[in-house]
Amino acid sequence: MNAPKRLSSLADVTGAARRPTYDPARHGHGIVHLGIGAFHRAHQAAYTDAALAAGGGDWRIVGASLRSVELADALNPQNGLYTLIERGASEVRARVIGSIAHVIAASRAPADLMTSLIDRRTRIVTMTVTEKAYGVDRATMTVDLSHPVVAADLQSPDNPSGVLGLLTEALRRRRIEHVDPFTVLCCDNLPDNGGFVRCGMIDFARRRDPALGDWIAEKVSFPSCMVDRITPASTEQTREDALRLTGCIDQAPVETEPFAQWVIDDRFPTGRPAWEAGGALFVDDVEPYEAMKLRMLNGAHSMLAYAGFLSGRRYVRDTAGPAGFCPLIERHFKAAAATLPRLPAIDLDAYARQLLSRFANPAIAHETYQIAMDGTEKLPQRILAPALEARAKGLDVRPFAFAIAAWMRYCHGRLDDGTRYVLRDPREDEIGRLLSDVVAPSDVVDALHALPNFFPAPLRTDPVWRNAVNSCLGTMMGEGMQAALAAEMRT
């Protein structure tokens, strides 16, 4: 029996996996993507694969990894091909994605990335790099001059390595060469992600050259979008299933859930792929859809991540299954939905039921500890914003207070049995200093409410909010997270 080949050609695929119905080699690139991790390959690259199949065009993706080289070394020998595995509750499906042309390891070949960015064939630049990579202060919507990459790129703007520096320098060169600017499409899970990146880039550019900043403000389009697809880290099982379903060895398979959602502000002056063929929704205003996802899905995710991890539930499915705490998840959905406007064609009750079913999917091994990371960047929009609105409307804030209390308990860095863990948060050291000399729950609440630029002022001084957080945290610290969950479900 012949040994399986490394995936590198669609002709080698012999298993049940679906193959692209187009010839990837016949389509040029039109997109550069920064941050080519698992989520991009499960989401935007899959939508682009569907768009190429439906509408053709030169819209393949040049991926770029800004720091690591592993994905370039995994995908390039495979000619950009990889297996996308969708795990439903009772079915596993696979498709081979052909939308990625090749991957640049920017740390190894920075000139190659700049060449792709200024290439006139590049009409869209997309990004999934997480909020902290941009170096933008959300409070002021200007660049954070203390961010090491931002500072370095402002010092040496002709040889940038960060997102803002790279895009600004590429646009500067395109302007000089009279090449139309590319559209900048942030696909990170951030509120008003287009406006966020636009403000950061304009400020960065104006610090280099005011005229360049003004040109970017006038000429460059920054549509916002909302993205959603649960994408756990790949495992050895992912690789084994890819081999079984394709007949090939795949060094870069991705697994995900069957559900995917992409809502996009349709502002692409130099064109775009037919992403609607993959189910993307183009709208005039993305903001209400962002709020729905951030507050219901992501907010509940954060709550169950902290409560689940601290109570010994490794995966999201363990929190939403028979031994989980579904009543608290459903309570959070209801509280978040009460802060949202009405959306045409969206039934929030049905959306909540769909979310719970996705969380409970036994085939998706999405770790609570993974979701718990970077809390100081995620919680303001996921939990604190709806909590503030709930207080203003006289609604119950207990579900949001419980989520924040679970985060505060997580900030101690140790489980109920004393096992230690790292927070994996950009403000971990700062949090550690604030909690170094505090023991009582009320003192913990006071200390963390003093974390600069985190809690909104009206919540910091609100006795109803503070009392609710104190009550929840007191039980968590005094009786343990499992007891706190049981007590909360009785209220």
Side-chain angles (χ1 to χ4, degrees), residues 173-486:
R173 296 189 193 185
R174 290 175 78 108
R175 181 188 180 211
I176 291 172
E177 296 174 12
H178 304 287
V179 177
D180 287 340
F182 45 68
T183 296
V184 179
L185 180 63
C186 175
C187 300
D188 280 300
N189 182 30
L190 307 171
D192 187 25
N193 49 17
F196 173 79
V197 176
R198 180 180 187 273
C199 288
M201 275 193 63
I202 291 171
D203 183 52
F204 184 96
R206 283 178 173 155
R207 291 173 187 272
R208 285 195 59 182
D209 174 2
L212 175 61
D214 292 344
W215 181 81
I216 290 174
E218 179 184 356
K219 299 292 186 181
V220 181
S221 181
F222 294 84
S224 287
C225 74
M226 181 269 271
V227 298
D228 186 9
R229 195 168 210 189
I230 297 170
T231 308
S234 295
T235 65
E236 186 57 37
Q237 185 64 55
T238 314
R239 288 179 280 277
E240 291 174 5
D241 286 343
L243 174 59
R244 175 175 58 84
L245 293 164
T246 66
C248 299
I249 297 169
D250 185 351
Q251 299 292 356
V254 179
E255 68 172 75
T256 189
E257 62 174 334
F259 177 90
Q261 189 173 43
W262 198 7
V263 183
I264 312 170
D265 179 5
D266 198 0
R267 292 187 290 116
F268 295 84
T270 55
R272 62 167 176 80
W275 282 320
E276 58 269 37
L281 177 65
F282 289 91
V283 299
D284 294 329
D285 184 8
V286 174
E287 184 178 0
Y289 298 88
E290 288 177 344
M292 177 187 74
K293 192 244 181 175
L294 281 165
R295 296 182 181 190
M296 293 185 69
L297 186 151
N298 298 125
H301 245 175
S302 287
M303 181 277 290
L304 65 83
Y306 297 118
F309 176 71
L310 292 167
S311 61
R313 293 167 169 90
R314 182 176 180 182
Y315 300 113
V316 170
R317 66 194 184 199
D318 300 327
T319 72
F325 42 90
C326 283
L328 297 187
I329 298 172
E330 292 171 323
R331 182 184 73 167
H332 197 98
F333 290 152
K334 185 176 180 180
T339 70
L340 296 171
R342 296 284 181 187
L343 279 174
I346 295 289
D347 181 335
L348 293 180
D349 290 336
Y351 181 62
R353 291 192 294 272
Q354 184 184 50
L355 289 179
L356 192 63
S357 176
R358 293 169 63 194
F359 290 175
N361 184 346
I364 296 294
H366 201 180
E367 294 196 359
T368 52
Y369 186 44
Q370 178 188 359
I371 299 167
M373 70 188 299
D374 296 334
T376 55
E377 294 183 339
K378 297 173 179 176
L379 294 179
Q381 57 267 25
R382 296 182 177 193
I383 303 295
L384 299 179
L388 193 61
E389 286 191 28
R391 279 299 293 139
K393 294 177 180 179
L395 302 173
D396 182 19
V397 294
R398 181 84 181 192
F400 306 114
F402 180 82
I404 287 296
W407 168 74
M408 289 180 170
R409 172 63 189 83
Y410 174 84
C411 284
H412 282 83
R414 60 182 181 276
L415 300 174
D416 288 339
D417 65 5
T419 302
R420 293 194 172 275
Y421 53 86
V422 295
L423 303 191
R424 302 197 296 182
D425 189 286
R427 303 182 72 175
E428 182 167 359
D429 292 343
E430 193 176 354
I431 289 168
R433 287 192 295 271
L434 288 171
L435 297 182
S436 61
D437 296 321
V438 297
V439 177
S442 60
D443 293 335
V444 172
V445 173
D446 289 342
L448 290 176
H449 272 83
L451 186 67
N453 302 316
F454 186 66
F455 282 97
L459 287 181
R460 285 202 308 269
T461 57
D462 185 346
V464 173
W465 167 257
R466 297 282 292 256
N467 288 340
V469 176
N470 266 311
S471 171
C472 295
L473 185 60
T475 307
M476 293 173 188
M477 293 180 64
E479 302 178 38
M481 183 56 76
Q482 186 58 46
L485 287 166

Side-chain angles (χ1 to χ4, degrees), residues 4-13 20 24-25 41 60 70-84 95-103 239 242-243 246 248-254:
K5 294 181 179 181
R6 174 83 175 269
L7 177 63
S8 62
S9 167
L10 295 178
D12 294 333
V13 179
R41 287 178 288 136
R60 292 185 78 204
E70 286 80 8
L71 271 173
D73 291 343
L75 281 168
N76 288 336
Q78 299 181 181
N79 293 309
L81 299 174
Y82 64 95
T83 313
L84 180 63
R95 56 190 274 212
V96 175
I97 302 296
S99 57
I100 293 176
H102 64 276
V103 178
R239 288 179 280 277
L243 174 59
T246 66
C248 299
I249 297 169
D250 185 351
Q251 299 292 356
V254 179

